[in-house]
Amino acid sequence: MSTITPFEHAEPERRGRILNTVDRVCELCFGLFMALTFIGAVKAVSADADAGHKMFFAALGCNLAWGLADAVMYLVRTLADRGQRLKLARAMRGENERSVALRALRDALPEALGPVVEDADLERIRARLAALSLPDRARFVRDDFLGALGIFLLVVLGTFPVAIPFIIFDDHTTALIASRVLTLLMLFSAGFALGRYTGGGAVKAGFVMIALGIALTLAIIGLGG
């Protein structure tokens, strides 16, 4: 459990953003790496007229399948996390021993927050949870399905910058160069976004992501991916 989210009058929980910057970048890079596993084997592709189209649709089909699996697992994880929070809130209501309740709340805190949250803060949270009207069970809300759709689209979209050159250019060497350039630009953009989000230096993070992407792709291909 990463956060403690109160239940407000038995209404479904609300989130500010369906997918945050880290979610978006990670899912997009996941789709990109999946597509790159196909492009890494480009030298083995025959020189048939439709070889580029076959490669494109193979990469797209793979990302469609993995995008669907990733979206479904996002829904499973979301419901499980919400159910765990509901279980904690119910425990606060049924626990008469204050020290036991506070210990359960502290165990539920993210590790980074533990040292800065005092027992008095936890007591206020415990009292609020105990007073809330809770739903009978964890349920999906509309944003959950929008988030799953967003993940699916991001994984699938990771295919296009890498594979589209192979259906635009007849010459495979030209297509490969264009694909690699687009891949590097996409990796840099992903790292740049993460760097801005974390405050760690956008340009530096962009180049680090390029290096990480190249190393990870080579590893995937080397392992038979």
Side-chain angles (χ1 to χ4, degrees):
M1 180 183 302
S2 61
T3 58
I4 300 175
T5 304
F7 296 85
E8 305 228 358
H9 308 296
E11 291 182 2
E13 69 176 88
R14 302 173 185 270
R15 45 166 80 86
R17 288 186 177 183
I18 297 174
L19 295 175
N20 62 31
T21 300
V22 177
D23 292 330
R24 293 195 297 269
V25 170
C26 289
E27 295 299 338
L28 190 61
C29 286
F30 176 74
L32 175 62
F33 295 146
M34 291 297 298
L36 283 173
T37 60
F38 287 85
I39 306 308
V42 66
K43 292 182 180 179
V45 176
S46 66
D48 296 340
D50 62 344
H53 289 78
K54 289 179 179 178
M55 177 177 292
F56 173 78
F57 286 112
L60 178 61
C62 176
N63 277 22
L64 283 170
W66 280 107
L68 178 61
D70 210 15
V72 170
M73 292 312 300
Y74 168 82
L75 290 174
V76 171
R77 183 173 64 252
T78 296
L79 192 64
D81 288 344
R82 188 169 295 137
Q84 189 178 21
R85 292 194 292 271
L86 177 59
K87 178 181 177 181
L88 177 63
R90 286 175 173 167
M92 294 303 99
R93 174 174 296 178
E95 181 57 61
N96 295 322
E97 186 66 33
R98 177 179 177 274
S99 61
V100 175
L102 294 185
R103 188 180 309 117
L105 281 174
R106 186 167 294 281
D107 290 342
L109 286 173
E111 185 175 350
L113 290 181
V116 299
V117 177
E118 299 180 352
D119 284 353
D121 302 317
L122 294 177
E123 173 58 26
R124 286 191 290 271
I125 295 174
R126 185 201 67 79
R128 186 180 180 192
L129 288 175
L132 289 176
S133 175
L134 302 175
D136 57 342
R137 61 184 177 85
R139 293 184 175 88
F140 288 119
V141 297
R142 184 192 62 176
D143 282 356
D144 298 333
F145 298 102
L146 292 177
L149 176 62
I151 286 175
F152 174 78
L153 292 176
L154 285 170
V155 173
V156 173
L157 287 174
T159 303
F160 292 95
V162 181
I164 277 183
F166 292 92
I167 62 175
I168 295 178
F169 301 105
D170 294 330
D171 180 66
H172 284 182
T173 301
T174 302
L176 182 59
I177 293 173
S179 175
R180 286 175 175 171
V181 169
L182 288 171
T183 299
L184 293 177
L185 290 174
M186 191 173 178
L187 286 171
F188 180 85
S189 298
F192 189 91
L194 277 181
R196 290 188 61 184
Y197 179 77
T198 61
V203 175
K204 179 181 177 181
F207 286 112
V208 169
M209 183 63 78
I210 288 177
L212 178 62
I214 292 173
L216 184 56
T217 301
L218 291 175
I220 292 172
I221 294 173
L223 292 171

